[in-house]
Amino acid sequence: MNEQEIHIHIHTESPTNRRGSRPKAAVKPRGISKEADMKALMTRNLWERFLFEPFTAGLNPWINLQSAKKAAESGHSVEIMGYEMDEARLTNSMIEKAKHTKGSIVTADDLIDFMIESGFSIAESTGIRRELMELYLESRIDLVGLAWDLSSDKISQRKAAIYQRELSLAS
């Protein structure tokens, strides 16, 4: 009968790499601090917890209101009041939810930047025209500005960020 030998090797020392030292833990890229990571995580958390729902819920009614206004301006018989009531209800919801995002290390700028990025992602994934999303984002920046008591200059700067993003992507 053929007998096979079985060799078992047991290492009692810690694993080493070829140079004889212990393997290094994954290193974070330089320039990214724990505070920045925490701030990004908190921004995403606040967005998802408070602002995502009113932002997305308000998108279609806002588009419908803009369409109804354009149709009325061009002479068509359109009932606008229902669209205006929906917009007012959703506007108040957005303002109230945005008020809940105050009081942490996350700033209005952080939330607005995140909202801009999310808005353009939603537009790309759903086929909404970029120009329409830009106008919607402007209206939502106004609401966050109201909730956070931002000055009109600060609100204007944040609205400009919508268009600066497009310029930075083009270059």
Side-chain angles (χ1 to χ4, degrees):
M1 209 179 215
N2 291 340
E3 288 188 24
Q4 294 181 356
E5 289 186 26
I6 299 176
H7 296 277
I8 299 175
H9 300 276
I10 299 176
H11 297 279
T12 57
E13 297 176 17
S14 63
T16 59
N17 62 16
R18 291 180 191 192
R19 288 180 276 174
S21 62
R22 297 193 78 153
K24 293 184 179 180
V27 178
K28 282 178 127 181
R30 290 185 182 176
I32 298 177
S33 69
K34 288 183 181 183
E35 184 178 336
D37 289 344
M38 179 61 86
K39 194 172 191 179
L41 180 64
M42 288 181 70
T43 301
R44 175 179 289 282
N45 186 20
L46 289 174
W47 168 258
E48 290 173 354
R49 187 169 178 201
F50 295 107
L51 297 178
F52 176 75
E53 189 272 326
F55 181 84
T56 55
L59 183 57
N60 282 334
W62 183 87
I63 291 171
N64 292 337
L65 176 60
Q66 303 315 305
S67 299
K69 285 180 179 179
K70 291 291 182 190
E73 288 173 6
S74 64
H76 296 285
S77 177
V78 179
E79 177 58 44
I80 296 178
M81 186 179 294
Y83 296 120
E84 289 174 334
M85 289 172 54
D86 284 344
E87 174 64 10
R89 180 180 51 80
L90 293 166
T91 294
N92 289 335
S93 173
M94 180 83 175
I95 292 169
E96 288 304 311
K97 297 283 185 156
K99 286 180 182 178
H100 291 290
T101 62
K102 294 170 70 174
S104 69
I105 64 169
V106 176
T107 65
D109 290 346
D110 297 327
L111 283 171
I112 290 171
D113 289 342
F114 198 89
M115 182 171 59
I116 291 169
E117 292 299 318
S118 297
F120 284 125
S121 285
I122 291 169
E124 289 171 13
S125 67
T126 59
I128 296 172
R129 285 190 2 244
R130 180 175 192 80
E131 298 81 16
L132 200 54
M133 182 53 76
E134 290 169 347
L135 294 173
Y136 182 66
L137 284 167
E138 283 189 24
S139 73
R140 300 305 113 165
I141 289 171
D142 285 332
L143 301 180
V144 173
L146 283 172
W148 279 69
D149 301 318
L150 300 179
S151 69
S152 58
D153 288 341
K154 186 66 167 177
I155 292 171
S156 295
Q157 289 173 356
R158 300 317 309 151
K159 286 181 180 181
I162 295 169
Y163 305 99
Q164 290 169 352
R165 178 188 180 274
E166 185 173 308
L167 293 174
S168 67
L169 290 177
S171 56

